[in-house]
Amino acid sequence: LTSRVEWLTNVYVELEAFCVQRSMAKAMALDDTNELSGWDSAVISDVEARAQGPMVQTSSCVGDVFFVAKTALEHAVAVQQPRAVEAIAQCVLEAFGEFVRVMGQQAVEKWADVASVQRRILVALNNLDLANVYLQKMVDEVRIRLNTEWARLPETDKTKGQNAIDSLSAISSKLLQAQQHSIDQLSSSLLKPCMRSILQHSYRDIKYVLSDEEFNDVQSDNLFQQRFNLRIRKLGHQLRPRLLPSTYTLVVDAMCACLVYDWERAIRQSKFNMLGGMMFEKDVRFVQLCLEQEAGGVLRAKFAKLVQMARVVAEPAETSVAGVDKDVRALLANRVDVQPN
């Protein structure tokens, strides 16, 4: 009887593994990213979002592949053989490796128009984000089912089954790596050009060498802040409907990185006096607040270097050169009211 059970288990594992591989491959082949509604127009930083119908943010393959994986794992648990659960869990791991590869490929494929490129990258980002949620839910539910159905089995068997199910959590790190790769692709193709355009537009005719009268005028009518707020809201209104809330937060974080990099370079080429430095500090705080409102969280770490630079150029001339490092001292050379040592 034991040999017969072992033979049946082997046959089941082979059939289930074959079905998992074929079904997940079919789900990815039938992915409907190209047919999703609401993705006809490209994201552009200097235009208002056009009115359109509801946007479908994720494609069909995410739900399909997790349905296949969860069904196979539940079948394996029902067999009540640790070896079956271990084999199917390994099969699912390998199949998800292909899923991650396909999602990562979405971000690098060449398409005829900008809107298609953006759709492939943004939908892939949403898919990867949603996949991480589904993964944790699947692992938790299958583990609960195993503990319930294997209550009378030996503890050694239960431990083997639980370890096999828990091993699926390793997929999460692969999903996060693919997500970061897609974020990098999005930064290169969209976020860097958009944030650079926003910064250049906002800085038009702006200076940081100010008289008392000019400082008061800027206080009451800050063109930089007005322009930046208008452009970043336009960009946010286009991106937010295209992304899941958690994915949008990641994208805003990447937007900050792009902005801060260009802004630091621009500031090192700007001239200041103390009043201009004070206004620059206000501008940095304002931009940080705008982006934190978009992200729904704190971005202090992203702006730490800019805040430090702003504080230095805003200090009185007699104290601003004291106790600063070499990197910041180079910036002090841009202060027109500070004599170099």
Side-chain angles (χ1 to χ4, degrees), residues 47-340:
V47 300
E48 289 285 1
R50 291 188 294 180
Q52 54 188 359
M55 302 192 75
V56 181
Q57 299 166 323
T58 58
S59 63
S60 60
C61 70
V62 183
D64 292 345
V65 297
F66 274 95
F67 174 79
V68 171
K70 185 182 178 185
T71 301
L73 290 167
E74 288 175 342
H75 290 167
V77 168
V79 173
Q80 297 192 1
Q81 290 287 335
R83 187 160 50 83
V85 175
E86 291 170 343
I88 299 305
Q90 182 60 37
C91 176
V92 169
L93 275 171
E94 294 172 0
F96 269 104
E98 179 63 14
F99 170 77
V100 171
R101 187 194 68 78
V102 170
M103 288 297 103
Q105 190 67 26
Q106 304 276 34
V108 297
E109 290 183 359
K110 303 300 181 183
W111 294 87
D113 59 280
V114 174
S116 294
V117 173
Q118 292 178 1
R119 172 170 55 189
R120 303 292 292 193
I121 297 176
L122 294 172
V123 172
L125 273 171
N126 290 331
N127 285 346
L128 291 164
D129 202 2
L130 185 62
N132 244 325
V133 176
Y134 282 0
L135 173 65
Q136 189 58 55
K137 183 179 179 181
M138 180 183 73
V139 170
D140 291 343
E141 291 180 355
V142 174
R143 188 192 296 114
I144 291 172
R145 183 161 184 161
L146 183 143
N147 290 335
T148 301
E149 296 186 10
W150 290 27
R152 297 184 179 181
L153 268 62
E155 283 299 321
T156 53
D157 287 354
K158 289 174 63 176
T159 300
K160 290 179 180 179
Q162 290 169 347
N163 290 341
I165 299 301
D166 290 342
S167 69
L168 297 171
S169 297
I171 300 170
S172 179
S173 61
K174 296 181 180 180
L175 292 171
L176 292 175
Q177 289 174 5
Q179 192 175 51
Q180 184 57 54
H181 178 68
S182 295
I183 287 284
D184 293 341
Q185 292 294 325
L186 183 67
S187 294
S188 298
S189 63
L190 175 65
L191 301 183
K192 286 181 181 178
C194 281
M195 298 310 293
R196 187 165 296 160
S197 173
I198 290 173
L199 187 63
Q200 290 173 347
H201 171 77
S202 303
Y203 254 131
R204 193 175 67 244
D205 302 325
I206 299 299
K207 63 178 183 178
Y208 287 121
V209 177
L210 302 173
S211 65
D212 290 344
E213 183 179 355
E214 289 171 327
F215 181 82
N216 292 330
D217 289 342
V218 176
Q219 283 261 73
S220 59
D221 187 23
N222 192 311
L223 291 179
F224 172 83
Q225 295 180 10
Q226 293 172 21
R227 292 167 181 167
F228 183 87
N229 184 61
L230 180 62
R231 284 293 185 93
I232 205 67
R233 299 305 177 202
K234 287 181 179 180
L235 182 59
H237 289 163
Q238 294 178 80
L239 282 173
R240 192 184 293 274
R242 290 170 162 83
L243 295 166
L244 298 174
S246 53
T247 312
Y248 183 68
T249 298
L250 293 176
V251 169
V252 173
D253 192 72
M255 288 163 54
C256 289
C258 297
L259 173 70
V260 167
Y261 177 79
D262 281 344
W263 204 356
E264 288 182 5
R265 292 177 59 192
I267 287 306
R268 294 184 186 282
Q269 300 172 21
S270 301
K271 295 296 183 181
F272 292 87
N273 62 1
M274 189 183 74
L275 291 177
M278 292 170 61
M279 188 54 61
F280 171 58
E281 185 175 19
K282 291 177 181 290
D283 290 345
V284 171
R285 299 290 187 185
F286 177 83
V287 169
Q288 180 180 344
L289 178 61
C290 283
L291 289 170
E292 285 179 343
Q293 289 174 346
E294 286 293 317
V298 178
L299 298 171
R300 188 178 297 111
K302 290 289 183 183
F303 284 87
K305 186 64 175 290
L306 272 174
V307 169
Q308 180 189 24
M309 295 167 70
R311 285 174 177 169
V312 168
V313 296
E315 288 179 353
E318 62 273 12
T319 62
S320 60
V321 295
V324 298
D325 58 31
K326 183 178 180 181
D327 184 43
V328 178
R329 189 178 296 275
L331 179 64
L332 292 175
N334 296 1
R335 279 282 295 268
V336 298
D337 55 350
V338 174
Q339 295 297 321

Side-chain angles (χ1 to χ4, degrees), residues 26-40:
K26 186 175 182 180
M28 288 182 278
L30 295 176
D31 181 57
D32 64 352
T33 296
N34 291 333
E35 288 74 45
L36 296 180
S37 62
W39 292 84
D40 297 331

